[in-house]
Amino acid sequence: MAVSFVRTVIVFVLLIVSIRIMGKRQLGELEPLELVVAVLISNLASQPLQDTGIPLIYGVVPVLTLLACQLVISGISVKLPRFRRVLCGKPSILIDNGAIVQSEMRRCRISVDELYVELRVNGFIDPSQVRHAILETDGTLSVLPYARFAPATPEDLSLEVPDPGLPVSVICEGRVMTDNLRLLGLDGRWLRSELMKRGATGPEQVYLMTVDASGGIYYAEKETGK
Amino acid sequence: MKKELFASGLLLLLLVLSVANSAAMESLCSRLSGKALSASLAAEAGDWESCDGLVRDAFDLWEASADYTHSILHHNTLDTIDSDLRCLQQAALERGARSLRAAAGLLGDHLRGITETESLSLGSIF
């Protein structure tokens, strides 16, 4: 058990160091710490399940050790930004004012093709349209275009657009969500009248009905005979 | 902050339990191998009555800690120790001092293996 505990801590630290050295391009939307825990936990937990000759404690101790290590380290990294930088690295600027920063591209081992793929995914076909492209610590690329290439917003066009707020479901798969109805300040009478307007005799005929803060209703009838 | 304190406490608890487990396992193994060795010495001195008692004590000790050993040790290790104890018992029943010494030696070796695996050392970690 003690050996299992110490081994887990050693492998945990070793994997974090390895993944940090491998660089951000290996991560794919997970921070190094999260990736290590995800990779290790799935393997560790499955061993006692596959082999009944291994006591459950050999899965429980390493998983608890990893959980505690992850909580402690993420807690420290919130308190100490420098520690977080060591653990997760810092964002890399790959495009600065429309110019590809080749030294940073080499350091992150990102090819021009890969950069182009990421730009296209973000809706840009030319690096000159991009003011900054930043490779985040979780391996994703944030693309910030020049203002003239950015999609226009209602504010840019001086348009007044009502904010509908968060839609809340009042009927979900035929069941009335009474708590949500109450939250919106509505009642059963209002719901019945809305259903009647749509030709439904009861909530059991409705697949989904949502109401947003501005009173907008989304209504989907249940499909029959399928 | 509460979460971090809980996690630190959990890590500390796991470490303490692990060290306590190593100590408990070492104590159990040394008591068991001590009884087997004493049984072997008693057999060589011709004191079969003491030998039988010591072998029975070893069995009782092992069976009394079954819950603990089953939750800590790999099940094939448990089978090995069970088989070693049966050999010891067989040798005592047949009044064979030499075979009893051999069985006690084998049991001692296997128990030492368990202790070394469970104890914190560079060798067992790496």
Side-chain angles (χ1 to χ4, degrees), chain B residues 50-68:
Chain B
S50 302
C51 174
D52 287 341
L54 284 161
V55 170
R56 210 176 309 118
D57 284 354
F59 250 105
D60 291 346
L61 180 62
W62 182 245
E63 274 168 17
S65 49
D67 286 344
Y68 168 63

Side-chain angles (χ1 to χ4, degrees), chain B:
Chain B
M1 195 61 197
K2 267 185 195 165
K3 252 188 194 174
E4 286 81 43
L5 280 176
F6 164 76
S8 309
L10 182 62
L11 270 180
L12 199 66
L13 179 72
L14 284 169
L15 187 64
V16 169
L17 284 177
S18 301
V19 172
N21 172 62
S22 297
M25 190 55 77
E26 194 173 347
S27 158
L28 174 67
C29 289
S30 72
R31 275 186 293 155
L32 254 180
S33 64
K35 285 194 189 302
L37 187 68
S38 302
S40 155
L41 290 175
E44 277 175 21
D47 184 0
W48 289 103
E49 202 176 318
S50 302
C51 174
D52 287 341
L54 284 161
V55 170
R56 210 176 309 118
D57 284 354
F59 250 105
D60 291 346
L61 180 62
W62 182 245
E63 274 168 17
S65 49
D67 286 344
Y68 168 63
T69 53
H70 276 72
S71 53
I72 293 294
L73 295 174
H74 284 73
H75 294 178
N76 51 9
T77 309
L78 295 173
D79 293 343
T80 306
I81 302 297
D82 279 339
S83 148
D84 289 349
L85 281 168
R86 299 236 172 271
C87 285
L88 197 72
Q89 195 180 38
Q90 180 78 21
L93 285 172
E94 288 171 356
R95 300 293 187 235
R98 290 176 68 182
S99 53
L100 201 137
R101 191 171 57 194
L106 194 64
L107 176 65
D109 287 346
H110 287 146
L111 290 169
R112 201 175 316 115
I114 294 174
T115 312
E116 283 169 2
T117 310
E118 288 294 322
S119 67
L120 268 182
S121 67
L122 282 179
S124 62
I125 289 168
F126 293 100

Side-chain angles (χ1 to χ4, degrees), chain A residues 188-201:
Chain A
R189 197 182 303 161
W190 173 86
L191 188 62
R192 274 191 297 278
S193 72
E194 288 298 329
L195 290 179
M196 274 173 66
K197 276 187 216 166
R198 288 164 177 80
T201 52

Side-chain angles (χ1 to χ4, degrees), chain A:
Chain A
M1 194 170 144
V3 174
S4 191
F5 176 82
V6 176
R7 278 185 173 187
T8 309
V9 173
I10 291 172
V11 171
F12 176 72
V13 172
L14 187 71
L15 276 179
I16 286 183
V17 172
S18 309
I19 287 176
R20 278 286 292 116
I21 293 169
M22 276 187 236
K24 291 188 271 287
R25 53 169 297 160
Q26 306 294 330
L27 298 176
E29 298 183 20
L30 284 175
E31 295 277 352
L33 190 61
E34 294 164 343
L35 182 65
V36 166
V37 172
V39 166
L40 283 181
I41 277 186
S42 57
N43 266 329
L44 287 169
S46 66
Q47 280 180 11
L49 300 181
Q50 288 169 345
D51 185 351
T52 49
I54 300 174
L56 195 60
I57 198 115
Y58 283 86
V60 173
V61 168
V63 168
L64 287 180
T65 307
L66 279 178
L67 169 76
C69 284
Q70 203 264 351
L71 285 175
V72 168
I73 289 180
S74 57
I76 294 172
S77 69
V78 169
K79 294 266 183 301
L80 303 172
R82 197 172 289 175
F83 179 75
R84 182 177 163 72
R85 207 171 301 152
V86 171
L87 193 71
C88 301
K90 56 181 177 144
S92 305
I93 298 174
L94 301 184
I95 297 178
D96 191 19
N97 285 318
I100 297 174
V101 184
Q102 294 177 28
S103 58
E104 209 56 22
M105 292 277 287
R106 272 195 301 276
R107 203 181 67 78
C108 297
R109 294 187 298 281
I110 301 277
S111 69
V112 176
D113 288 342
E114 287 166 320
L115 180 66
Y116 263 86
V117 168
E118 288 298 326
L119 291 181
R120 284 196 296 271
V121 166
N122 282 279
F124 300 95
I125 50 165
D126 190 346
S128 65
Q129 298 175 335
V130 176
R131 187 178 174 90
H132 294 297
I134 302 162
L135 186 61
E136 304 291 355
T137 54
D138 62 1
T140 54
L141 191 76
S142 297
V143 180
L144 309 169
Y146 280 106
R148 62 182 185 278
F149 295 112
T153 63
E155 195 181 350
D156 295 332
L157 304 171
S158 305
L159 291 175
E160 281 289 327
V161 181
D163 193 347
L166 187 70
V168 178
S169 58
V170 289
I171 299 177
C172 187
E173 294 183 50
R175 276 183 299 124
V176 178
M177 318 301 275
T178 42
D179 286 349
N180 290 352
L181 259 183
R182 210 174 304 129
L183 194 76
L184 291 162
L186 303 171
D187 56 14
R189 197 182 303 161
W190 173 86
L191 188 62
R192 274 191 297 278
S193 72
E194 288 298 329
L195 290 179
M196 274 173 66
K197 276 187 216 166
R198 288 164 177 80
T201 52
E204 60 283 350
Q205 295 179 343
V206 182
Y207 185 70
L208 180 67
M209 182 173 174
T210 65
V211 181
D212 62 37
S214 64
I217 295 173
Y218 172 79
Y219 178 85
E221 207 170 292
K222 229 181 207 177
E223 288 177 3
T224 51
K226 284 187 184 174

